[in-house]
């Protein structure tokens, strides 16, 4: 009787580098939103050629709805949101992550664009606003 031989290891995916949104100067007097883009780089190594990649990327410690960056000097909060698409119609939040599903033939670095937006007319002081966000990879 012949048996099916399965690989001893499974696919492995790791984030490369520290992706960040750098919004630059924000003018609270403007009505239009302030948009930026960043790239999440994920390196995945299949255990065998053609192994199915079923990757879900989630932002850790993020609530549903707008996210908030804090000004460490004033304590003020600046709301922003992140999205899957350049039209900024598909949010990434506690319920909605990024999903990728396709076979991988060889080790591959995936460059996944992510889009950020600060809405206009927020009453905040000039300064630096920060929010550390970790990503969780499920595969």
């Amino acid at each position: 009787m012949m048996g099916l031989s399965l690989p001893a290891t499974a696919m492995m995916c790791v984030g490369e580098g520290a992706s960040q949104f750098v919004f630059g100067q924000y003018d609270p007097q403007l009505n239009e939103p302030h948009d930026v883009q960043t790239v999440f780089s994920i390196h995945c190594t299949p255990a065998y050629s053609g192994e199915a990649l079923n990757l879900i990327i989630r932002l850790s410690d993020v609530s549903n709805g707008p996210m908030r960056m804090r000004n460490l000097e004033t304590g003020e909060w600046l709301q922003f949101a992140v999205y899957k698409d350049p039209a900024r119609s598909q949010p990434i939040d506690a319920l909605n992550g990024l999903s990728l599903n396709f076979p991988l033939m060889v080790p591959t670095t995936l460059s996944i664009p992510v889009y950020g937006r600060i809405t206009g007319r927020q009453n905040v002081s000039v300064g630096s606003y920060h929010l550390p966000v970790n990503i969780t990879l499920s595969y």
Side-chain angles (χ1 to χ4, degrees):
M1 180 168 156
M2 292 186 124
L4 177 62
S5 176
L6 295 176
T9 60
M11 178 156 327
M12 187 171 94
C13 294
V14 294
E16 291 189 333
S19 299
Q20 59 182 325
F21 288 99
V22 179
F23 285 98
Q25 188 172 356
Y26 170 73
D27 184 349
Q29 301 301 316
L30 297 177
N31 290 325
E32 55 271 353
H34 185 70
D35 293 341
V36 297
Q37 175 181 335
T38 194
V39 173
F40 289 171
S41 292
I42 313 292
H43 185 79
C44 293
T45 303
Y48 56 91
S49 182
E51 182 179 11
L53 170 67
N54 295 308
L55 177 65
I56 298 172
I57 303 168
R58 295 201 186 281
L59 302 179
S60 300
D61 303 323
V62 172
S63 64
N64 214 12
M67 299 166 61
R68 300 182 324 154
M69 295 181 276
R70 186 166 188 190
N71 183 323
L72 298 178
E73 290 181 22
T74 67
E76 292 175 289
W77 294 93
L78 181 62
Q79 288 188 352
F80 74 106
V82 293
Y83 300 89
K84 300 175 188 180
D85 63 318
R88 291 163 176 82
S89 63
Q90 300 174 30
I92 300 172
D93 54 29
L95 299 175
N96 303 293
L98 292 161
S99 296
L100 300 169
N101 303 297
F102 54 86
L104 276 184
M105 301 307 191
V106 296
T108 304
T109 298
L110 307 165
S111 295
I112 305 158
V114 181
Y115 306 89
R117 172 172 280 171
I118 299 174
T119 57
R121 309 287 299 169
Q122 292 186 51
N123 187 15
V124 293
S125 299
V126 171
S128 295
Y129 291 78
H130 302 275
L131 173 69
V133 175
N134 294 313
I135 63 170
T136 301
L137 305 176
S138 302
Y139 53 95

